[in-house]
Amino acid sequence: MTNQPASELGHLTIRPKMLYVGTPVFLVSTVNADGTFNLAPASSYWALEQMLVLGLETDGQSARNLLERPELTVSFPHPELWPAVERLASVTGRHPVPAAKAERYRHASDKLEVSGLSFEPSEIVAPPRVRECKLQFEASVRRATPGLGEYLMVEAEVVRVHAAPEIVVPGTDHVDPNAWHPTIYSFRHYFDIGAEVGWRSTSDTASG
């Protein structure tokens, strides 16, 4: 195979401000020092079996809470909830607002009032789940590592999964990928996933 320069293949060399090529939006719930709860949106996420790796802003309330009280829930909003996610995107639970965030954020102590969402109790961890989200994880932090720049890399073990009945393959523990639609964040835009184009041979839910 010939290694051709990108320019000869018709590509452009660019330097985007962010590299969110398409990642799921999730809502992180944590416990504040006074026992109330914080809720924040994020989209830096990957999973390996029962472990999650999340990227959270270092100077955000979620990161502060997790370093002091290492439990969280991760709730995944379906695409119709994107306006609620966007309402949360410009507020922070930190007070006063850190100088680095002051131009982009305002303080809000009641994130449910801002978003229009609601909580329901978790079964194992202290932070609650977001009731409106069809897929919810309860998790415990196993390690938190400062990353480059303004982000904390959080490794968390999922200890319980909750799923709405309509997104589960009946009689199994499998999420039906044709019924479950995560909200995808791509270059600062929100998307629903499109039609299925294929599947791995190891899929537990493939229909063909």
PDB file of all heavy atoms in Angstrom, residues 105-117:
ATOM      1  N   TYR A 105     -20.174  30.630  31.875  1.00  0.00           N
ATOM      2  CA  TYR A 105     -21.080  29.981  32.818  1.00  0.00           C
ATOM      3  C   TYR A 105     -21.660  30.977  33.814  1.00  0.00           C
ATOM      4  O   TYR A 105     -21.052  32.000  34.118  1.00  0.00           O
ATOM      5  CB  TYR A 105     -20.342  28.896  33.619  1.00  0.00           C
ATOM      6  CG  TYR A 105     -19.880  27.713  32.812  1.00  0.00           C
ATOM      7  CD1 TYR A 105     -18.656  27.744  32.138  1.00  0.00           C
ATOM      8  CD2 TYR A 105     -20.644  26.553  32.734  1.00  0.00           C
ATOM      9  CE1 TYR A 105     -18.213  26.651  31.403  1.00  0.00           C
ATOM     10  CE2 TYR A 105     -20.213  25.449  32.008  1.00  0.00           C
ATOM     11  CZ  TYR A 105     -18.996  25.517  31.344  1.00  0.00           C
ATOM     12  OH  TYR A 105     -18.556  24.435  30.624  1.00  0.00           O
ATOM     13  N   ARG A 106     -22.827  30.623  34.322  1.00  0.00           N
ATOM     14  CA  ARG A 106     -23.387  31.323  35.466  1.00  0.00           C
ATOM     15  C   ARG A 106     -23.683  30.290  36.546  1.00  0.00           C
ATOM     16  O   ARG A 106     -23.869  29.098  36.252  1.00  0.00           O
ATOM     17  CB  ARG A 106     -24.660  32.079  35.091  1.00  0.00           C
ATOM     18  CG  ARG A 106     -25.794  31.182  34.599  1.00  0.00           C
ATOM     19  CD  ARG A 106     -27.032  31.988  34.235  1.00  0.00           C
ATOM     20  NE  ARG A 106     -28.076  31.149  33.671  1.00  0.00           N
ATOM     21  CZ  ARG A 106     -28.956  30.447  34.380  1.00  0.00           C
ATOM     22  NH1 ARG A 106     -28.919  30.493  35.712  1.00  0.00           N
ATOM     23  NH2 ARG A 106     -29.876  29.714  33.791  1.00  0.00           N
ATOM     24  N   HIS A 107     -23.727  30.717  37.789  1.00  0.00           N
ATOM     25  CA  HIS A 107     -23.982  29.779  38.882  1.00  0.00           C
ATOM     26  C   HIS A 107     -25.464  29.423  38.955  1.00  0.00           C
ATOM     27  O   HIS A 107     -26.343  30.271  38.762  1.00  0.00           O
ATOM     28  CB  HIS A 107     -23.556  30.391  40.217  1.00  0.00           C
ATOM     29  CG  HIS A 107     -24.013  29.595  41.399  1.00  0.00           C
ATOM     30  ND1 HIS A 107     -23.494  28.360  41.712  1.00  0.00           N
ATOM     31  CD2 HIS A 107     -24.976  29.848  42.326  1.00  0.00           C
ATOM     32  CE1 HIS A 107     -24.079  27.891  42.795  1.00  0.00           C
ATOM     33  NE2 HIS A 107     -24.992  28.767  43.181  1.00  0.00           N
ATOM     34  N   ALA A 108     -25.746  28.145  39.227  1.00  0.00           N
ATOM     35  CA  ALA A 108     -27.107  27.681  39.481  1.00  0.00           C
ATOM     36  C   ALA A 108     -27.017  26.547  40.491  1.00  0.00           C
ATOM     37  O   ALA A 108     -26.340  25.551  40.246  1.00  0.00           O
ATOM     38  CB  ALA A 108     -27.777  27.214  38.202  1.00  0.00           C
ATOM     39  N   SER A 109     -27.671  26.717  41.611  1.00  0.00           N
ATOM     40  CA  SER A 109     -27.630  25.677  42.635  1.00  0.00           C
ATOM     41  C   SER A 109     -28.674  24.598  42.390  1.00  0.00           C
ATOM     42  O   SER A 109     -28.476  23.440  42.767  1.00  0.00           O
ATOM     43  CB  SER A 109     -27.846  26.306  44.023  1.00  0.00           C
ATOM     44  OG  SER A 109     -29.081  27.015  44.058  1.00  0.00           O
ATOM     45  N   ASP A 110     -29.779  24.940  41.750  1.00  0.00           N
ATOM     46  CA  ASP A 110     -30.850  23.980  41.488  1.00  0.00           C
ATOM     47  C   ASP A 110     -30.827  23.610  40.008  1.00  0.00           C
ATOM     48  O   ASP A 110     -31.446  24.267  39.169  1.00  0.00           O
ATOM     49  CB  ASP A 110     -32.200  24.574  41.871  1.00  0.00           C
ATOM     50  CG  ASP A 110     -33.330  23.544  41.831  1.00  0.00           C
ATOM     51  OD1 ASP A 110     -33.151  22.488  41.182  1.00  0.00           O
ATOM     52  OD2 ASP A 110     -34.383  23.795  42.443  1.00  0.00           O
ATOM     53  N   LYS A 111     -30.127  22.536  39.680  1.00  0.00           N
ATOM     54  CA  LYS A 111     -30.004  22.128  38.290  1.00  0.00           C
ATOM     55  C   LYS A 111     -31.308  21.536  37.738  1.00  0.00           C
ATOM     56  O   LYS A 111     -31.535  21.558  36.523  1.00  0.00           O
ATOM     57  CB  LYS A 111     -28.862  21.108  38.140  1.00  0.00           C
ATOM     58  CG  LYS A 111     -27.495  21.624  38.554  1.00  0.00           C
ATOM     59  CD  LYS A 111     -27.005  22.698  37.624  1.00  0.00           C
ATOM     60  CE  LYS A 111     -25.563  23.068  37.887  1.00  0.00           C
ATOM     61  NZ  LYS A 111     -24.602  22.006  37.539  1.00  0.00           N
ATOM     62  N   LEU A 112     -32.146  21.008  38.599  1.00  0.00           N
ATOM     63  CA  LEU A 112     -33.426  20.472  38.130  1.00  0.00           C
ATOM     64  C   LEU A 112     -34.338  21.596  37.658  1.00  0.00           C
ATOM     65  O   LEU A 112     -35.036  21.465  36.644  1.00  0.00           O
ATOM     66  CB  LEU A 112     -34.106  19.662  39.230  1.00  0.00           C
ATOM     67  CG  LEU A 112     -33.352  18.428  39.719  1.00  0.00           C
ATOM     68  CD1 LEU A 112     -34.196  17.660  40.724  1.00  0.00           C
ATOM     69  CD2 LEU A 112     -32.947  17.521  38.564  1.00  0.00           C
ATOM     70  N   GLU A 113     -34.317  22.707  38.372  1.00  0.00           N
ATOM     71  CA  GLU A 113     -35.123  23.854  37.954  1.00  0.00           C
ATOM     72  C   GLU A 113     -34.644  24.374  36.602  1.00  0.00           C
ATOM     73  O   GLU A 113     -35.454  24.729  35.731  1.00  0.00           O
ATOM     74  CB  GLU A 113     -35.043  24.962  39.001  1.00  0.00           C
ATOM     75  CG  GLU A 113     -35.872  26.185  38.653  1.00  0.00           C
ATOM     76  CD  GLU A 113     -35.789  27.267  39.703  1.00  0.00           C
ATOM     77  OE1 GLU A 113     -34.927  27.162  40.609  1.00  0.00           O
ATOM     78  OE2 GLU A 113     -36.582  28.224  39.625  1.00  0.00           O
ATOM     79  N   VAL A 114     -33.337  24.406  36.401  1.00  0.00           N
ATOM     80  CA  VAL A 114     -32.773  24.883  35.145  1.00  0.00           C
ATOM     81  C   VAL A 114     -33.146  23.956  33.990  1.00  0.00           C
ATOM     82  O   VAL A 114     -33.538  24.399  32.908  1.00  0.00           O
ATOM     83  CB  VAL A 114     -31.239  25.000  35.248  1.00  0.00           C
ATOM     84  CG1 VAL A 114     -30.612  25.257  33.873  1.00  0.00           C
ATOM     85  CG2 VAL A 114     -30.839  26.096  36.223  1.00  0.00           C
ATOM     86  N   SER A 115     -33.018  22.657  34.213  1.00  0.00           N
ATOM     87  CA  SER A 115     -33.173  21.686  33.131  1.00  0.00           C
ATOM     88  C   SER A 115     -34.601  21.231  32.891  1.00  0.00           C
ATOM     89  O   SER A 115     -34.943  20.800  31.783  1.00  0.00           O
ATOM     90  CB  SER A 115     -32.313  20.449  33.429  1.00  0.00           C
ATOM     91  OG  SER A 115     -32.799  19.773  34.589  1.00  0.00           O
ATOM     92  N   GLY A 116     -35.429  21.273  33.932  1.00  0.00           N
ATOM     93  CA  GLY A 116     -36.768  20.707  33.818  1.00  0.00           C
ATOM     94  C   GLY A 116     -36.803  19.208  34.008  1.00  0.00           C
ATOM     95  O   GLY A 116     -37.837  18.575  33.808  1.00  0.00           O
ATOM     96  N   LEU A 117     -35.674  18.621  34.415  1.00  0.00           N
ATOM     97  CA  LEU A 117     -35.589  17.179  34.659  1.00  0.00           C
ATOM     98  C   LEU A 117     -35.909  16.878  36.116  1.00  0.00           C
ATOM     99  O   LEU A 117     -36.135  17.783  36.918  1.00  0.00           O
ATOM    100  CB  LEU A 117     -34.192  16.675  34.294  1.00  0.00           C
ATOM    101  CG  LEU A 117     -33.781  16.889  32.828  1.00  0.00           C
ATOM    102  CD1 LEU A 117     -32.315  16.538  32.628  1.00  0.00           C
ATOM    103  CD2 LEU A 117     -34.659  16.056  31.895  1.00  0.00           C
TER     104      LEU A 117
END
